[in-house]
Amino acid sequence: MPKITIDNLSFAYPDTSTEALKEIQLTIEPGEFVAITGATGAGKSTLLRCINGIIPHFQPGTLQGAVYLETSAGRSAVGRVSTPHLARYIGSVFDDPEGQIVSPIVEEEIAFALENTGVDPTQMDERIQHALDDCGIAHLRQHPTNRLSGGQKQRVAIAAALALAPSILILDEPTSELDPDGTEAVLHVLSELHRQRGITVIIVEQKINLLAPLCDRLVLMDQGRIVLEGPPRQVLRQADVFTQLGIELPVPARLMHALVKEGALPPLDSPGAPPVPLTVDEAYTLSQALLTGS
Amino acid sequence: MSLSIEYIPATSPVHKLHALTKLAGALTVLTLSMLMGTPVPLVILQLALLGIAAVANVHQELLGAMKGLLKVAVVLIVLQVLFYSEGTALVPLFAGLAITDQGILFGVTMALRMLVIVSSFLLFLMTTPTRSTVLSLVEYLKVPYDYAFLFITALRFIPTFIEEVHLIRQAQEARAHDFSGGAFSRVRSLFPLALPLVSISLKRAERMAMAMETRGFGLPGRTHYRLEAPEAGDFLMMLLMVLAVVIISLFL
Amino acid sequence: MDVFPAGHPLLQAQQLKHTFRTGRCALQSVNVTIHAGEMVAIIGRNGAGKTTLTKHFNGLLKPTAGTVLVGGQDTRRVSVAQLARTVSYVFQNPDHQIFHGRLFDEVAFGPRNLGLSGKELDQRVASALDAVNLAAYVDRDPAELSRGQRKRATIASVLAMKTPVLILDEPTSGQDYQESRQIMAILQQLHQQGHTILLITHDMELVQEQAQRVLVLGDGQLLLDGSPDELFRQASLLQIAGLRRPPIIDLQHRLEELGLTASVPTAESLAAALASRIQQGPSVHVDPTPGRNAACP
């Protein structure tokens, strides 16, 4: 299980004067669930592409610093391993469900990565089944890929990335084109993979209200920099940063900040302050506790 | 014309044959039909194909396709009859042309040959998944995998492409664009469809290449899922085909 | 644009049925009337028939059975180009429509098709780009714009056609928070100017904040024609139609269990209500059975 270390990483796309990433410093522990958010152009996708090796192997530009994968056996810079080789360690899922599926049938889509990496064909059936089971789509195995719904396509894409049993999964706004059911199904799969298989999940998303209760760490980016990062309850204390960056502050946290302003709660950095609620349920419990005076 | 060239899943002895065997079969029929110069053996060959289709349970589809092909056959016959001048004139036509007995015979033979050849390939396509065919070509006939992959992916994207054309058309029509235009401005009127289609396809191709790389595409030593090897029955069938060609060519 | 007085029945679907060539029934017997000046959200699962319904309102689709009237005219008797003077349509993906090398021309495309030119055209393009905050980009290549800007460019391109009715398919999808807010503000402004607006959306914040009326579709049937508030109070309907309450409404409803009401559904007003109740002292008749248990990891 590799740890990811991003060391002083800067990147500029060709023919641009401004850097898309500026001196990024971040360590992601094995098994962490990290949600990255920020406005368009903040550098979120660029950061993901530096982790899965698309930058610099596929996308040219000026890269400084490095991303390292560290295991007990040692550490290697992503920039020195080609993208196809990285596939065994890092699975990637993109925002466009249509543009990442290459095969006409679901099982063939899952087999694609296995074939590419030279897996023995006699092992494939089992591994395909395993990946499909993990994503809750075993029933779709023989389906034509072009008749799947968006949510199903994204789960197929996750299963296809999981076929090689990578320990890291990277997702770039995987739910942006999905309806609420599809979004919920995809996020459920991710949280299960994280919880049960211990997979490191790194996801870029706009829907932080859905991600905050699931993730271990929330990262806010703006103009190529990491502005704020930490456990969601900690990050959500800094409402002013959200306002400043134009990022939506989830409703439960907003209620809490409003309660502090009303004087119903002590300031959030004072010792007796309760934790920031992440879900509507938690906000309800907090309100109830305040009303009953407990 | 309703030509079904889609694979029709079923479990028949014909479906079970190896893709290469069936491809060889279609090529055998092609060769035989070229050797046969009269209608009767061609009719027998066509009936045999229908028999195989019945075994594979795709005879309905094949008959449907044949119905469509009849129109083409009629055109072929008419053309041959009109422009074939050898033989005994039966009905004199304008400009020294005439309908001759040999002209009719030749026209009918041509039409039957076309029918036989197209039917045999349809039979092959309807009973063999594209993937099996392509993989066999890669593995046994050493076609480079990249080309084969290109072909499979192209098939996968046909429905997407059609959908996209549809949406772009509608989006421009909704802005009062008239695609029918006059004959003169016809090509120009297609720009609003063609340009977004090209740019969207390029974008998609790039994203797809990226997605493929992150799944190990391009590594050496690729293996193939569900690659079937020819079995004893396949070799027997291929032997029979060779024999058939040899014997029939001796007798004709 | 004031061809239709407010409240005039502008779009009418009567016993509308639509069956695709594949045989799939996309709409079955839908009856709905949209009046001039309304802001209506059309919601439901993907594949529920939302797009099929709205494409009947600009004639891109014709009814298999039943009638669709736009401004009193039967859409079967009028061309799409003709209907484009009354109803304009912004598709979900800007890539499906943008094809000019200069933003001006992209926005001018529709009005030019309607026969406009010269000063009037320039004026319309300028005011449309102004409305979506893209005036500074008039000479730029749309390909260089960000996804959010391209989306707004497509909105401008139909605004310039000055149609009384605007249909927008997923106006906020793929947009970040700021961009979504910006689009909502644009829609609000257009609505105030008298446009009739139809939104297809999964964005429940958008529905809650903007729509006066929602049409909920499920499997080709109209499941509800009512206010957002009505919708959010029907838990079973939400489930059937694959919809979720926006978190703020969810919170508001949960806090109602504690006897708290707020005049407007915002976190701030809920907090104010809560604070004033706390000042009255601990409540004695709080509902002792919370609906669900909070999971505090």
Side-chain angles (χ1 to χ4, degrees), chain A residues 105-158:
Chain A
I105 305 290
V106 169
E107 63 172 7
E108 293 167 9
E109 182 66 15
I110 316 299
F112 181 70
L114 300 173
E115 295 176 307
N116 286 335
T117 49
V119 169
D120 180 354
T122 57
Q123 293 180 9
M124 286 188 188
D125 269 320
E126 202 190 317
R127 290 181 69 167
I128 291 170
Q129 194 58 43
H130 202 73
L132 290 171
D133 283 339
D134 273 351
C135 295
I137 46 168
H139 59 291
L140 299 177
R141 183 165 177 156
Q142 306 291 343
H143 275 235
T145 48
N146 60 26
R147 284 188 214 149
L148 302 173
S149 72
Q152 289 172 332
K153 275 185 186 150
Q154 284 302 54
R155 278 181 288 163
V156 167
I158 296 174

Side-chain angles (χ1 to χ4, degrees), chain A residues 2 28 41 94 97 109 113 144 181 230 232 262 294:
Chain A
I28 297 168
F94 301 86
E109 182 66 15
D181 283 347
E262 295 283 344
S294 58

Side-chain angles (χ1 to χ4, degrees), chain C residues 43 207-208 211-216 223-238 243 245 249 253:
Chain C
I43 56 182
V207 172
Q208 179 234 325
Q212 306 164 314
R213 182 177 169 195
V214 288
L215 304 178
V216 181
L223 301 179
L224 177 81
D225 178 352
S227 69
D229 202 46
E230 246 177 292
L231 166 68
F232 296 142
R233 298 225 169 253
Q234 297 189 33
S236 60
L237 177 67
L238 287 166
L243 301 167
R245 274 188 206 113
I249 297 296
H253 288 188

Side-chain angles (χ1 to χ4, degrees), chain B residues 77 120 143 163 220 229:
Chain B
I77 294 174
S120 71
V143 170
E163 173 74 14

Side-chain angles (χ1 to χ4, degrees), chain C:
Chain C
M1 211 194 67
D2 294 319
V3 193
F4 303 100
H8 180 88
L10 198 44
L11 308 173
Q12 287 165 282
Q14 296 162 347
Q15 300 288 327
L16 170 60
K17 196 180 152 191
H18 192 90
T19 311
F20 285 124
R21 250 178 278 167
T22 53
R24 196 170 75 83
C25 183
L27 288 177
Q28 31 191 332
S29 193
V30 170
N31 286 299
V32 66
T33 301
I34 314 272
H35 305 93
E38 278 192 295
M39 166 94 92
V40 183
I42 299 170
I43 56 182
R45 281 197 177 80
N46 285 342
K50 307 185 296 286
T51 318
T52 310
L53 175 62
T54 48
K55 281 183 180 169
H56 276 87
F57 289 138
N58 74 339
L60 283 172
L61 294 177
K62 308 288 181 196
T64 307
T67 319
V68 174
L69 302 176
V70 172
Q73 288 179 299
D74 188 330
T75 59
R76 266 184 288 221
R77 303 214 178 85
V78 198
S79 72
V80 177
Q82 197 60 40
L83 286 168
R85 292 175 187 276
T86 312
V87 182
S88 55
Y89 203 115
V90 182
F91 279 63
Q92 183 173 359
N93 185 351
D95 294 346
H96 285 140
Q97 89 163 59
I98 293 176
F99 70 101
H100 289 93
R102 187 169 154 243
L103 185 57
F104 179 92
D105 294 313
E106 184 60 40
V107 178
F109 180 71
R112 275 184 180 140
N113 287 334
L114 296 180
L116 284 148
S117 62
K119 228 184 184 140
E120 158 111 54
L121 179 71
D122 291 351
Q123 221 163 35
R124 281 203 186 187
V125 173
S127 73
L129 284 174
D130 214 33
V132 299
N133 298 325
L134 286 178
Y137 297 86
V138 61
D139 289 318
R140 292 274 287 275
D141 182 350
E144 291 167 9
L145 303 182
S146 74
R147 187 153 70 161
Q149 288 170 330
R150 283 163 68 79
K151 186 87 190 185
R152 295 200 320 265
T154 60
I155 296 177
S157 81
V158 306
L159 281 185
M161 295 171 78
K162 285 207 170 172
T163 57
V165 185
L166 278 172
I167 301 175
L168 299 101
D169 193 347
E170 292 289 356
T172 58
S173 87
Q175 310 285 307
D176 69 24
Y177 180 62
Q178 291 277 58
E179 290 167 339
S180 295
R181 303 301 313 178
Q182 208 164 8
I183 285 171
M184 285 194 206
I186 294 167
L187 295 178
Q188 194 58 52
Q189 202 181 2
L190 293 172
H191 181 226
Q192 276 162 8
Q193 288 166 7
H195 282 279
T196 309
I197 298 177
L198 268 66
L199 306 165
I200 299 175
T201 188
H202 294 309
D203 184 342
M204 287 298 135
E205 270 92 3
L206 176 63
V207 172
Q208 179 234 325
E209 288 181 25
Q210 306 275 333
Q212 306 164 314
R213 182 177 169 195
V214 288
L215 304 178
V216 181
L217 287 171
D219 285 328
Q221 279 175 315
L222 189 58
L223 301 179
L224 177 81
D225 178 352
S227 69
D229 202 46
E230 246 177 292
L231 166 68
F232 296 142
R233 298 225 169 253
Q234 297 189 33
S236 60
L237 177 67
L238 287 166
Q239 194 170 12
I240 292 167
L243 301 167
R244 309 284 184 279
R245 274 188 206 113
I248 185 64
I249 297 296
D250 217 7
L251 183 62
Q252 186 191 22
H253 288 188
R254 294 298 306 281
L255 292 186
E256 275 172 15
E257 291 172 28
L258 300 176
L260 281 174
T261 47
S263 48
V264 276
T266 62
E268 291 68 29
S269 69
L270 285 172
L274 193 58
S276 75
R277 271 283 292 279
I278 293 166
Q279 275 176 354
Q280 291 163 19
S283 164
V284 276
H285 49 267
V286 164
D287 180 3
T289 51
R292 281 159 284 178
N293 282 328
C296 254

Side-chain angles (χ1 to χ4, degrees), chain B residues 67-86:
Chain B
K67 227 185 196 170
L69 286 170
L70 275 182
K71 285 181 211 152
V72 185
V74 169
V75 174
L76 270 177
I77 294 174
V78 169
L79 284 177
Q80 293 303 331
V81 166
L82 281 180
F83 297 106
Y84 201 90
S85 52
E86 281 165 48

Side-chain angles (χ1 to χ4, degrees), chain B residues 24-37:
Chain B
L27 291 171
T28 304
V29 172
L30 177 83
T31 316
L32 287 176
S33 70
M34 289 300 178
L35 291 171
M36 296 166 171

